[in-house]
Amino acid sequence: MAARGKHRRPRTNPLTRGIIAAGTGGAALTLPLLGATHASAAEPQSAPAAAQSVPQAAQPAKSLTYTVAKGDSLARIADKYDVSGGWKQLYKDNRAAVGDNPKLIHPGLKLTVKTTKTDAAKKTATKSSAPAKPAAKPAGGVAQATQASAKTYADNLDGWIRESLDIMAQKGIPGSYDGIHRNIMRESSGNPQAINNWDSNAVAGTPSKGLLQVIDPTFAAYHVAGTSFDPYDPVANITAACNYAADRYGSIDNVNGPY
């Protein structure tokens, strides 16, 4: 969203508010058990005490090199690899490579990730391989239909647009695939990490960001509940921009230039 007066002074909008939280895990260190002493020869030997189980010691963190892909964020990477300390620790370990802004990680950037996982896809594999619960049977003995599995989207521009359109449909926000795609290609060429550091908004301290180049005040005012609060998140950026365009122009489909 560059140029021409640059809209983006926020209007109050009823659609918003959400909280995203992320957690970290911990591991306990166990001490070895002391061996028992022998009884004297003059006394009857007592029965040995039952062996106590010793919890397995926590595995030391292992380092691996991760290449940033489109749509990644430090929080997403830290969660994927169970980084102790979360995205803040990941940023601390890679500040020299990332720079002063932890939100600005670009595709192709190499990050050092410290993880205790032995399998990078362990969490995903565990979730996807869990056996499905059988359908509950009512008193009549007729099995109820199982709930359809959650819809998945490709982690690319096509998938981001389609996920945004589904959210927009639920929230009553107008817009079409072609209208969104046309404006994305003009504003950012499909780069979710794009930022405008030269126009009037940048001079005012609120540079335009993300796929549809939204400034922070506009993103906050038109943020759609259920999406990320990160303006660089592709789905959150598209959905907030379309919500703004609907309020100002009737639909993102009516936008054919700087807005």
Side-chain angles (χ1 to χ4, degrees):
M1 298 180 185
R4 216 177 64 185
K6 264 334 244 175
H7 67 284
R8 321 227 186 127
R9 291 306 142 199
R11 301 183 183 185
T12 303
N13 189 286
L15 292 172
T16 60
R17 306 296 177 276
I19 298 176
I20 298 178
T24 58
L29 180 65
T30 59
L31 299 175
L33 297 176
L34 298 176
T37 57
H38 292 288
S40 70
E43 298 177 357
Q45 187 171 4
S46 59
Q52 299 183 15
S53 60
V54 181
Q56 186 177 6
Q59 294 182 353
K62 298 179 181 179
S63 293
L64 57 86
T65 300
Y66 178 83
T67 302
V68 175
K70 285 185 178 181
D72 272 340
S73 66
L74 292 181
R76 181 180 299 179
I77 298 169
D79 181 64
K80 179 178 180 181
Y81 290 99
D82 282 345
V83 175
S84 179
W87 72 267
K88 292 183 179 179
Q89 183 62 48
L90 182 59
Y91 174 53
K92 181 178 179 181
D93 293 340
N94 293 275
R95 182 160 187 167
V98 175
D100 294 333
N101 190 342
K103 294 181 179 179
L104 295 181
I105 58 172
H106 304 286
L109 182 67
K110 305 290 186 181
L111 300 179
T112 298
V113 181
K114 295 179 181 179
T115 176
T116 57
K117 283 191 174 185
T118 56
D119 179 1
K122 183 177 181 181
K123 180 183 292 185
T124 302
T126 301
K127 291 182 178 178
S128 61
S129 62
K133 293 182 179 180
K137 293 185 179 181
V142 179
Q144 296 178 344
T146 57
Q147 184 176 5
S149 58
K151 189 173 181 179
T152 58
Y153 305 88
D155 189 19
N156 55 29
L157 182 57
D158 177 74
W160 302 330
I161 294 176
R162 294 187 186 281
E163 184 173 355
S164 295
L165 284 169
D166 283 349
I167 296 172
M168 289 163 59
Q170 295 172 13
K171 304 294 184 178
I173 302 171
S176 70
Y177 186 101
D178 290 341
I180 295 172
H181 187 273
R182 180 184 70 249
N183 282 284
I184 285 176
M185 298 312 293
R186 183 190 66 253
E187 295 289 339
S188 68
S189 298
N191 178 11
Q193 299 296 322
I195 183 170
N196 184 322
N197 287 313
W198 55 265
D199 70 0
S200 59
N201 286 305
V203 172
T206 56
S208 304
K209 301 174 180 179
L211 289 174
L212 281 169
Q213 291 292 277
V214 187
I215 62 175
D216 286 342
T218 299
F219 178 81
Y222 290 91
H223 171 263
V224 176
T227 64
S228 170
F229 279 93
D230 180 358
Y232 289 102
D233 180 87
V235 175
N237 187 281
I238 293 172
T239 314
C242 288
N243 192 23
Y244 162 80
D247 184 45
R248 187 175 178 87
Y249 303 100
S251 170
I252 190 70
D253 295 342
N254 299 329
V255 178
N256 295 288
Y259 64 118

